[in-house]
Amino acid sequence: MRIVLISTPIGFLGSGKGGGVELTLNSLVSGLISLGHSVEVIAPKKSKLNESNVKAKLHFVEGEDQISWQHQDYNSPASIPDNSLLAGMLEKGIDIAKNADVLVNMSYDWLPIWMTLNIEIPIAHIISMGSESSVISNLISKVYDKYPINFAFHSKMQANDYPFIKNPTIIGNGFNLDNYNFQDSRKGSLAWVGRVAPEKGLEDAVYVANELGEKLKVWGLIEDEIYASRIEKSFPNGTIDWMGFLSTDELQKELGKCRGLLNTPKWNEAYGNVIVEALACGVPVIAYKRGGPSEIIQHGQTGYLANPDDKETLLYYSKIIEKINRKNCREWVEKNASADIFANKVLNWLNKVIIEYK
Ligand code: UDP
């Protein structure tokens, strides 16, 4: 198959601004290439693909980023800046996809979804977030009426945010597991990984570390400085050990030394890449039962699930996290979330989309 992928219109690949979509796109490219398919990626200028993805052709587009939907009011209108990166990526993607089998859109925005109604080439959308905008949800509902096959979601809980989707296509996610080494380190610190922004609930993980009298190691891009400094000020000095934003290789080396990952989403987390990355290193995860995490973590086997916002239960599970056999964590990922497993699910879905256009 010849597949054209459109990246996120928020940050170049490698900047961290695009959140989980950056790793998801790279993993999908790896999986598709290893299964013998040809892939072209349309992405913002300065984007880099993983070294292992040299066979994929990268096309650069310059322009202004979109504003992330999770940081706008739910009822905000869709906006397109002058010299729009998103519009530029779509123009290029549509042009290249004329000679391809399918165009896959990984940006969560209005314009590419609306295009479904107006182009004749197959366009498939990987929806990367729960419902974060009324204008996008209403548009998905309208397009879904005519093209129900063209949408895929990472988890059932995420798809539930779109109640009009009757039989959602769930593709999960998957990663190149050669990039993650198992480490059997039961005595390390507690970790938290993610974009530092209100929807990620870092404060609840810091609460747990502080109650335990420990430092919390925090990796990720500080997207919201005011939020980060507010959390820092509300706990004793030094409770947060800021570790910065690392490449996958550096991150997995450090994360693997930790005894557990805390994952504390305040929104309906679509999937939660960092959970699977931790498990791949043998690190069990304690998370809120909200969105994707509740479908990934096997309670009592690969970590623990607490009711949403129940910090005391997070704390309790943090005290008994050593009970989890770290090998279970790696095994679950190998059986359920490798790049090839993910790419195969995506291919099954894309085949159905393509047939619809014949
Ligand atoms: N990440 C990274 N380096 C870091 C911290 C995070 O590359 O130091 C990446 C991580 O690999 C993951 C992404 O940031 O792919 C966060 O994705 P997730 O699905 O957890 O949340 P999102 O940001 O999409 O809401």
Side-chain angles (χ1 to χ4, degrees):
M1 222 189 260
R2 192 171 161 205
I3 299 157
V4 181
L5 292 178
I6 294 187
S7 183
T8 163
I10 300 174
F12 59 90
L13 290 168
S15 68
K17 286 190 186 165
V21 175
E22 297 185 23
L23 183 69
T24 304
L25 184 144
N26 264 294
S27 307
L28 183 56
V29 171
S30 296
L32 293 172
I33 288 176
S34 92
L35 295 169
H37 300 278
S38 135
V39 185
E40 299 190 38
V41 177
I42 319 293
K45 197 181 154 199
K46 294 209 280 194
S47 287
K48 278 200 183 114
L49 289 173
N50 287 354
E51 282 167 20
S52 56
N53 286 334
V54 280
K55 283 192 183 161
K57 189 163 181 200
L58 189 53
H59 301 269
F60 296 113
V61 174
E62 263 185 86
E64 287 299 313
D65 281 18
Q66 292 296 114
I67 307 168
S68 51
W69 279 101
Q70 70 270 32
H71 302 132
Q72 297 183 61
D73 189 84
Y74 187 77
N75 293 314
S76 298
S79 65
I80 306 270
D82 195 13
N83 185 26
S84 160
L85 170 65
L86 178 62
M89 290 201 297
L90 260 175
E91 276 168 27
K92 187 161 252 179
I94 290 171
D95 191 40
I96 294 172
K98 282 178 191 149
N99 299 312
D101 294 298
V102 63
L103 180 61
V104 178
N105 164 46
M106 299 185 75
S107 75
Y108 182 91
D109 221 311
W110 190 89
L111 187 60
I113 297 171
W114 180 77
M115 285 307 297
T116 321
L117 301 167
N118 299 289
I119 51 172
E120 276 162 23
I121 48 175
I123 177 164
H125 307 279
I126 297 183
I127 302 295
S128 59
M129 297 206 273
S131 175
E132 290 296 319
S133 139
S134 62
V135 70
I136 293 189
S137 291
N138 292 338
L139 178 68
I140 294 178
S141 168
K142 180 177 169 183
V143 178
Y144 177 80
D145 267 353
K146 209 168 163 203
Y147 294 96
I149 300 166
N150 297 37
F151 297 91
F153 301 84
H154 289 294
S155 67
K156 287 186 206 145
M157 296 279 273
Q158 176 206 0
N160 285 349
D161 251 18
Y162 303 90
F164 46 85
I165 306 270
K166 296 296 170 237
N167 285 308
T169 300
I170 308 296
I171 51 174
N173 210 338
F175 307 98
N176 190 344
L177 300 183
D178 293 343
N179 295 340
Y180 301 86
N181 294 316
F182 175 80
Q183 295 189 52
D184 205 6
S185 34
R186 282 158 198 270
K187 298 272 177 247
S189 314
L190 285 175
W192 187 94
V193 186
R195 285 178 297 106
V196 179
E199 66 272 16
K200 296 294 189 175
L202 170 62
E203 60 277 19
D204 290 7
V206 184
Y207 169 84
V208 169
N210 185 42
E211 288 296 306
L212 293 171
E214 294 184 23
K215 274 177 184 269
L216 178 71
K217 286 196 184 286
V218 174
W219 284 276
L221 187 82
I222 300 187
E223 207 172 47
D224 185 333
E225 299 269 359
I226 297 167
Y227 166 73
S229 93
R230 199 174 59 230
I231 301 175
E232 191 157 37
K233 283 188 195 130
S234 52
F235 292 97
N237 215 354
T239 311
I240 304 178
D241 199 356
W242 297 108
M243 307 297 290
F245 179 80
L246 303 184
S247 67
T248 300
D249 185 46
E250 291 171 298
L251 178 65
Q252 65 87 28
K253 270 187 209 143
E254 295 301 317
L255 182 57
K257 294 180 196 156
C258 295
R259 74 175 194 283
L261 176 84
L262 290 163
N263 188 261
T264 45
K266 296 284 167 183
W267 66 343
N268 186 9
E269 188 74 52
Y271 188 76
N273 287 3
V274 298
I275 296 175
V276 176
E277 296 182 86
L279 296 176
C281 301
V283 180
V285 184
I286 304 161
Y288 286 145
K289 210 184 208 170
R290 190 177 252 149
S294 44
E295 287 167 39
I296 301 169
I297 297 159
Q298 311 294 296
H299 184 75
Q301 292 296 312
T302 60
Y304 296 104
L305 288 164
N307 283 331
D309 308 321
D310 181 354
K311 290 188 284 188
E312 298 309 322
T313 306
L314 277 189
L315 176 62
Y316 168 75
Y317 287 137
S318 300
K319 291 178 184 164
I320 61 162
I321 193 71
E322 289 87 350
K323 285 192 180 175
I324 300 290
N325 179 348
R326 293 172 72 101
K327 291 203 173 103
N328 291 346
C329 301
R330 175 77 191 192
E331 266 169 38
W332 184 89
V333 176
E334 282 171 4
K335 284 194 192 129
N336 297 282
S338 69
D340 281 4
I341 293 173
F342 177 47
N344 268 317
K345 285 184 198 159
V346 172
L347 283 166
N348 280 338
W349 165 56
L350 294 181
N351 272 316
K352 288 182 196 151
V353 175
I354 292 167
I355 288 169
E356 185 191 30
Y357 284 77
K358 284 200 168 139

